[in-house]
Amino acid sequence: MRIALATAIAAFTLDEDLPPLRAALEARGHHAEPVAWDDPTVSWARFDLVLLRSTWNYTQQPDAFLRWCEAVADRTRLLNPPALVRWNTDKRYLGELAQAGLPVVPSHYLAPGEDPAGFPAFDEFVVKPCIGAGSRDTQRYTAPNRAAAVAHVRRLLEAGRHVLVQPYLEAVDTQGETALLFFNGHYSHAIRKGPLLARDGEATRALFAPEAITPREPSAAEFEVAHRVLAAIPGGLPLYARVDLLPGADGPRLLELELTEPSLFFPFAPGSAERFAAALDTVLATP
């Protein structure tokens, strides 16, 4: 089978998952080729399958990216599928999961035209766009710097972007973030991310913020929350899912459910690329 590993022109040399994934797929008899979604010369119909991998710049042109997903799906198979991608690329999905009873980091949303100061008072909090990735346009603020945060929100709203404001969970500074990786609904591995955002610091201007990654064994409580989150995914279990959890005062809290272009951290978990390839073959064998 000819498989396109969809990346971005700017991410070709940055995605550390691509080499081990390509090797694992080719060991199972597939031809796997990294291809940039934003390369207009690509004929996607020549592939039997397109795997969304490191399309990390989609946040700068989300409408074009979603149109591209639909166009690719009209020509071949896209995983994860367009409907799921459309739902997952806008962090307002977190509000839906919270309404369903899942333990989500408390989230307050602002839409263009709304008061940029219309979010609750927090001692420490994070401002981010609802469509965003890699910590771009994301900043951590303290209460004395609320005016700077309001200005940040105003810039995003005036650019036509929806905004998410969340309290900063202080345990992140000591415990970090846990990301659990699931392939076709089965747990593969997990990693720890160190704290990313400096207090009252500047947002990254790079494609993504540098991350301190180490392997991690999730707690029983983290597994329990992750499985509840997976069960709430619209349309059933996808080929790949990454559940990002933060330590809250009352237990793990969902920060993000990554179903579009998450790093899968193959270099930190021996055998994980092979597990992904096996999961893909299982999906392909299902009518």
Coordinates of all heavy atoms in Angstrom, one line a residue, residues 7 16 22 70 82 84 149-150 183 214 230 265:
T7 N 2.9 15.9 6.3 CA 3.6 16.8 7.1 C 3.4 18.2 6.6 O 2.4 18.5 5.9 CB 5.1 16.4 7.2 OG1 5.8 17.3 8.1 CG2 5.8 16.4 5.9
E16 N 10.4 14.2 14.5 CA 11.2 13.1 14.9 C 10.5 11.7 14.8 O 11.1 10.7 14.8 CB 11.8 13.3 16.3 CG 12.7 14.5 16.4 CD 13.2 14.6 17.8 OE1 12.7 13.9 18.8 OE2 14.1 15.5 18.0
R22 N 8.1 5.6 9.3 CA 8.3 5.1 7.9 C 9.0 3.7 7.9 O 8.6 2.9 7.1 CB 9.2 6.1 7.2 CG 9.4 5.9 5.7 CD 10.2 7.0 5.1 NE 10.1 6.9 3.6 CZ 10.8 7.7 2.8 NH1 11.5 8.8 3.3 NH2 10.7 7.6 1.5
E70 N -10.9 17.7 3.3 CA -12.1 17.2 2.6 C -11.7 16.8 1.2 O -12.2 15.7 0.6 CB -13.2 18.3 2.5 CG -13.7 18.7 3.9 CD -14.6 17.6 4.5 OE1 -14.9 16.6 3.8 OE2 -15.0 17.8 5.7
P82 N -11.9 13.5 8.2 CA -12.2 14.9 8.2 C -13.1 15.4 9.2 O -12.9 16.4 9.8 CB -12.7 15.2 6.8 CG -12.1 14.1 5.9 CD -12.0 12.9 6.8
L84 N -13.8 14.2 12.2 CA -13.1 14.2 13.5 C -12.1 15.3 13.6 O -12.0 16.0 14.6 CB -12.5 12.8 13.7 CG -12.0 12.5 15.1 CD1 -13.1 12.7 16.1 CD2 -11.4 11.2 15.2
A149 N -2.8 40.6 29.6 CA -3.6 39.5 29.1 C -4.8 39.9 28.3 O -5.2 39.4 27.3 CB -4.1 38.6 30.3
V150 N -5.5 41.0 28.8 CA -6.7 41.5 28.1 C -6.2 42.0 26.7 O -6.9 41.8 25.7 CB -7.3 42.6 28.9 CG1 -8.4 43.4 28.0 CG2 -8.0 42.0 30.1
F183 N -3.4 3.7 20.3 CA -3.5 3.3 18.9 C -4.6 2.3 18.7 O -4.6 1.3 19.3 CB -2.2 2.7 18.3 CG -1.0 3.6 18.6 CD1 0.3 3.0 18.8 CD2 -1.1 5.0 18.5 CE1 1.4 3.8 19.0 CE2 0.0 5.8 18.7 CZ 1.2 5.2 19.0
T214 N 10.3 13.2 28.7 CA 10.8 11.9 29.3 C 9.7 10.9 29.3 O 8.5 11.2 29.3 CB 11.4 12.2 30.7 OG1 10.3 12.7 31.5 CG2 12.6 13.1 30.7
L230 N -11.5 8.7 25.9 CA -11.6 8.0 24.6 C -13.0 7.6 24.3 O -13.5 7.6 23.2 CB -10.7 6.7 24.7 CG -9.2 6.9 24.7 CD1 -8.5 5.6 24.8 CD2 -8.7 7.7 23.5
F265 N 5.8 10.7 19.8 CA 7.0 10.4 20.7 C 7.6 9.0 20.6 O 7.9 8.4 21.6 CB 6.6 10.7 22.1 CG 6.1 12.1 22.3 CD1 4.8 12.3 22.7 CD2 6.9 13.2 22.1 CE1 4.2 13.6 22.8 CE2 6.4 14.5 22.3 CZ 5.1 14.7 22.6

